[in-house]
Amino acid sequence: MSLTSTSQSDLTTTSLRSARESGAPAAGPRPARRGPLTRIVAASLVTGAVAAAVLVLGVFAGASEPVTTGIALVCFAAGWAMLAVLSTRMTSSPQRWAYGLAAFLGASGLALISLTPGDDALTAAAWLWPPMLLVLVTWSERRMRAAMPGRTKWLLYPFLGALSLSCVGALVEDVAAHRDVNAAALPGQLYDVGGHRLYLSCTGTGAPTVVLESGLGGNSPSWTPVSAATAGTTRVCAYDPAGIGASDDAARPQDSNAVVGDLHRLLAAAGEAGPYVLVGHSVGGVYAMTYASRYPDQVAGMVLLDSASPRQFTVLPDYAMQYSMMTRLYGVLPTLARLGIGRFVPGLTATEVPGNAGKQASIIANSPRSASTSRDQLSTYRRSFVQAQALTTLGSKPLVVVSASDNLTETAGWPAAQEQLAALSSNADRRTITSSHAGLLDHPGSFEGSVTAISDVVRAVRTGTAVGRP
């Protein structure tokens, strides 16, 4: 070795020693960064988010709440794991703290997918995971600030913030749901229909008995303005199908035949004698038609309030695409409801039903359980609509088809579909009410038209006359 190279080596060693003793950065060569940390962070986060979106909204669209949530968590876990692995192998700033988030989210997701817990188990778990995850996020943020140089950390703050907000939202939902349980109960009763119980509330006297059938996401308290007005002239019953309100869950998603089978047993168990005037709103009209096809002797008349058509997939040109979008939305809705989204977005589940009934309607609509039941109900639509096509005629039984003006003007094919419904009976009347779809049940100035339609059918059944316009 030459004298010159020896001197340079000694000089470098002396410089490094001096730098260490003084605390200043070493003047000698530093370990080279083996990769762009900023790009790794961005790629990892995007990979997790995109994978979750593709699988949840695409490949597994409309899956049950445990599966949907579990898949999303596993995808997010993969993103955090990718950050930890790549930053360790390719840079001089390893982000090993990300392994903690990857492990927690991954284990939780796999547990949900493999165990598929029910609503009660998910509700119980919601008291445990939010504080645990919040502690982990807080720890991760502190470790991240210490381990990550420069401004790269600002890419992570929105994601850590979103995790924190999900924890807070879930805790708010837990507390609110616990408070809701103690709210004043509605006056109905539970009846066993074979393996589970359904809630039924009947008021008024007289025959025929009016039976109210809700649409997607509907519940018995949402009928209060209609039922209160109808009870002055005849007996009227509102109920909640399995998985809604006070009713028990069913063992599996129910198609139209299962729904009306439950209703048939419910009315028998409660001693509510027929024949009935069936009133169906939205997809509730499909259930009413299925009931009429299966139990024709128990149906005296029918009112269809902006009802879906049994041939909705063919008569409405845009419905197939709309249904596909609804399937994706309702697949994630239970998860969002579990995070309290209904509490934070004003008007999402708004109702114009007054008083305690309105409070109960909102409580039921806001619940993750109701969202999950709506997802289940939606998943059976193709089969349910075919089942309702078994009703080809009501003969001369009184029928009033009420259409909301909004759907008539905004939904392609809706006028023709409503005409087809009216053709089910030789004693039918078509009416249009200036209203939104939901307003037919609770909007002042709109629901009165629904009440009039019910009263006219009841009168026609009693007198054996034609349905007349009000």
Side-chain angles (χ1 to χ4, degrees):
M1 181 180 295
S2 68
L3 178 62
T4 302
S5 60
T6 303
S7 299
Q8 289 177 342
S9 177
D10 292 342
L11 181 60
T12 300
T13 303
T14 303
S15 175
L16 290 173
R17 185 183 301 114
S18 299
R20 284 196 297 268
E21 292 173 353
S22 64
R30 293 182 301 173
R33 289 176 60 178
R34 291 172 288 164
L37 182 59
T38 299
R39 293 180 183 179
I40 290 173
V41 171
S44 301
L45 297 177
V46 169
T47 297
V50 170
V54 169
L55 294 180
V56 168
L57 299 178
V59 180
F60 298 99
S64 64
E65 180 187 355
V67 173
T68 296
T69 305
I71 289 173
L73 290 177
V74 169
C75 290
F76 295 147
W80 291 111
M82 180 177 170
L83 169 60
V85 171
L86 294 184
S87 65
T88 299
R89 292 185 178 182
M90 300 178 64
T91 79
S92 58
S93 300
Q95 306 298 311
R96 296 187 179 90
W97 56 267
Y99 282 123
L101 285 173
F104 184 89
L105 297 178
S108 300
L110 291 174
L112 288 172
I113 294 170
S114 60
L115 300 177
T116 59
D119 181 75
D120 289 343
L122 290 171
T123 300
W127 288 102
L128 300 176
W129 70 259
M132 294 171 63
L133 180 56
L134 196 57
V135 169
L136 179 58
V137 169
T138 302
W139 174 84
S140 298
E141 191 274 337
R142 291 178 179 175
R143 294 296 301 272
M144 180 266 291
R145 281 194 287 113
M148 188 166 291
R151 298 179 180 179
T152 302
K153 60 175 67 72
W154 288 100
L155 292 175
L156 287 167
Y157 282 131
F159 289 85
L160 294 175
L163 287 175
S164 298
L165 286 176
S166 69
C167 297
V168 173
L171 290 172
V172 170
E173 174 63 29
D174 293 339
V175 174
H178 181 73
R179 177 203 63 202
D180 292 343
V181 169
N182 298 320
L186 289 168
Q189 297 183 49
L190 290 170
Y191 298 91
D192 189 285
V193 296
H196 56 276
R197 301 169 303 163
L198 298 186
Y199 171 87
L200 178 71
S201 176
C202 299
T203 56
T205 58
T209 297
V210 173
V211 178
L212 306 173
E213 185 74 65
S214 299
L216 183 68
N219 53 69
S220 57
S222 64
W223 285 96
T224 299
V226 172
S227 60
T230 302
T233 57
T234 194
R235 189 156 180 80
V236 57
C237 296
Y239 85 107
D240 285 321
I244 297 292
S247 295
D248 294 340
D249 292 335
R252 60 188 61 85
Q254 293 189 303
D255 58 20
S256 191
N257 281 338
V259 170
V260 303
D262 271 3
L263 176 58
H264 176 68
R265 290 185 289 271
L266 173 65
L267 294 171
E272 297 294 339
Y276 314 106
V277 169
L278 302 180
V279 181
H281 176 244
S282 191
V283 75
V286 171
Y287 298 148
M289 286 179 266
T290 303
Y291 195 104
S293 70
R294 294 188 61 184
Y295 310 105
D297 294 340
Q298 294 188 11
V299 179
M302 190 178 296
V303 178
L304 298 176
L305 300 177
D306 216 33
S307 172
S309 166
R311 292 171 175 80
Q312 193 120 314
F313 283 95
T314 56
V315 74
L316 303 186
D318 300 327
Y319 187 71
M321 181 178 295
Q322 179 186 355
Y323 178 74
S324 178
M325 294 175 62
M326 290 173 62
T327 299
R328 286 162 171 74
L329 171 63
Y330 277 84
V332 300
L333 200 57
T335 301
L336 295 178
R338 191 76 58 183
L339 301 180
I341 189 68
R343 315 280 178 178
F344 295 102
V345 181
L348 188 64
T349 54
T351 178
E352 296 188 64
V353 177
N356 187 60
K359 181 178 180 180
Q360 287 289 334
S362 293
I363 288 172
I364 295 172
N366 274 324
S367 70
R369 178 172 177 257
S370 180
S372 183
T373 298
S374 293
R375 185 217 69 88
D376 291 347
Q377 184 181 5
L378 188 69
S379 71
T380 69
Y381 269 17
R382 290 186 182 275
R383 187 165 68 252
S384 293
F385 287 6
V386 170
Q387 291 166 353
Q389 292 174 22
L391 179 68
T392 57
T393 181
L394 287 169
S396 60
K397 294 176 181 178
L399 167 67
V400 174
V401 176
V402 178
S403 305
S405 59
D406 283 7
N407 260 344
L408 287 176
T409 58
E410 298 172 4
T411 305
W414 198 255
Q418 300 293 288
E419 287 286 356
Q420 290 177 6
L421 296 178
L424 286 170
S425 174
S426 61
N427 184 12
D429 189 23
R430 270 206 66 197
R431 303 176 187 178
T432 300
I433 296 178
T434 303
S435 173
S436 65
H437 181 69
L440 291 176
L441 301 190
D442 59 16
H443 181 68
S446 299
F447 81 82
E448 294 88 349
S450 301
V451 173
T452 299
I454 295 171
S455 298
D456 288 348
V457 170
V458 168
R459 186 185 307 111
V461 170
R462 288 174 175 173
T463 61
T465 58
V467 174
R469 292 186 177 276

